[in-house]
Amino acid sequence: QKEVEQNSGPLSVPEGAIASLNCTYSDRVSQSFFWYRQYSGKSPELIMSIYSNGDKEDGRFTAQLNKASQYVSLLIRDSQPSDSATYLCAVKRAGGSYIPTFGRGTSLIVHP
Amino acid sequence: SQTIHQWPATLVQPVGSPLSLECTVEGTSNPNLYWYRQAAGRGLQLLFYSVGIGQISSEVPQNLSASRPQDRQFILSSKKLLLSDSGFYLCAWSPRNTGELFFGEGSRLTVL
């Protein structure tokens, strides 16, 4: 059973702080890793993809991947109240699979 | 650029009535297409996916069905809705085998 685990939260951080969201996965053949942001009542939006060990930065967002430890994280620097949302981690295995496996998401609250 | 449209956005249906949700993608060809359901406070549940016209794979046995009559059109149907079919239905497309999903706006279904 392929699983993607996330702490459901809520994770509460003050405005301007760094928010750290974590995700672990069980399938060692996983190859591609994604972070989605979902505002309440809205559909998920892809914000980051990462495929290699290490860090990948995009603006205030940094994705970190460690395949040996089977975790991927998302850091949000200078958190803003507009970052308050649920963040979904998704993992796709190598090979011909068309289907990413989603975690249940972590709720982030950024308070002024 | 690619866009995905999904409708209707909201619907309230009585138990036992039929359902039809439609999704179209523009600006790409041969996309992988997906239908997900998200119950209140729950994760994403994959219902169907399609890698080509007329090719439908079902992930969860239920009273729903899907069809792909054209390359960029994906339809979710039911002949008789159940109370348990209530939820937020999401259509998504993916470039071939990348695992990156791009979601439509979603359709919120309430079955009474």
Side-chain angles (χ1 to χ4, degrees):
Chain A
Q1 179 80 16
K2 303 185 291 291
E3 292 185 349
V4 178
E5 299 289 341
Q6 297 181 257
N7 188 319
S8 61
L11 173 65
S12 182
V13 300
E15 184 174 356
I18 297 175
S20 179
L21 304 162
N22 300 313
C23 171
T24 59
Y25 59 94
S26 61
D27 188 355
R28 290 190 172 274
V29 193
S30 298
Q31 177 187 51
S32 307
F33 307 85
F34 312 95
W35 283 100
Y36 293 81
R37 178 177 61 201
Q38 186 175 21
Y39 292 115
S40 180
K42 302 296 185 182
S43 60
E45 173 191 13
L46 178 67
I47 55 172
M48 290 284 284
S49 305
I50 186 167
Y51 305 97
S52 304
N53 278 327
D55 294 0
K56 179 181 178 182
E57 187 174 317
D58 183 0
R60 295 187 296 112
F61 298 99
T62 299
Q64 299 177 318
L65 176 60
N66 184 322
K67 290 186 179 180
S69 301
Q70 295 179 240
Y71 82 80
V72 56
S73 61
L74 179 70
L75 302 179
I76 306 175
R77 292 183 300 281
D78 189 23
S79 296
Q80 301 297 310
S82 59
D83 295 324
S84 299
T86 296
Y87 289 81
L88 303 171
C89 173
V91 174
K92 190 181 87 70
R93 71 191 334 236
S97 171
Y98 308 112
I99 305 168
T101 300
F102 280 86
R104 297 185 67 167
T106 298
S107 174
L108 172 66
I109 298 172
V110 181
H111 54 87
Chain B
S1 64
Q2 301 87 2
T3 57
I4 178 169
H5 301 286
Q6 182 181 344
W7 67 92
T10 306
L11 64 168
V12 180
Q13 295 286 102
V15 169
S17 64
L19 171 73
S20 181
L21 301 178
E22 190 165 340
C23 171
T24 59
V25 181
E26 298 177 358
T28 187
S29 58
N30 300 318
N32 290 343
L33 296 173
Y34 307 79
W35 278 110
Y36 283 87
R37 177 171 61 200
Q38 189 174 40
R42 304 288 298 275
L44 289 171
Q45 179 188 29
L46 179 63
L47 302 175
F48 302 94
Y49 70 96
S50 171
V51 300
I53 296 175
Q55 300 178 60
I56 309 295
S57 296
S58 174
E59 289 294 299
V60 182
Q62 56 209 327
N63 67 320
L64 300 172
S65 62
S67 62
R68 185 170 177 173
Q70 300 180 43
D71 181 47
R72 291 170 290 173
Q73 183 184 26
F74 206 23
I75 298 171
L76 182 70
S77 304
S78 174
K79 293 182 179 179
K80 288 186 177 181
L81 285 169
L82 307 173
L83 286 173
S84 58
D85 291 324
S86 294
F88 191 39
Y89 288 80
L90 293 157
C91 181
W93 77 274
S94 172
R96 284 297 186 188
N97 300 333
T98 66
E100 297 180 329
L101 296 186
F102 300 93
F103 289 87
E105 304 93 336
S107 299
R108 192 166 302 281
L109 170 65
T110 302
V111 182
L112 301 176

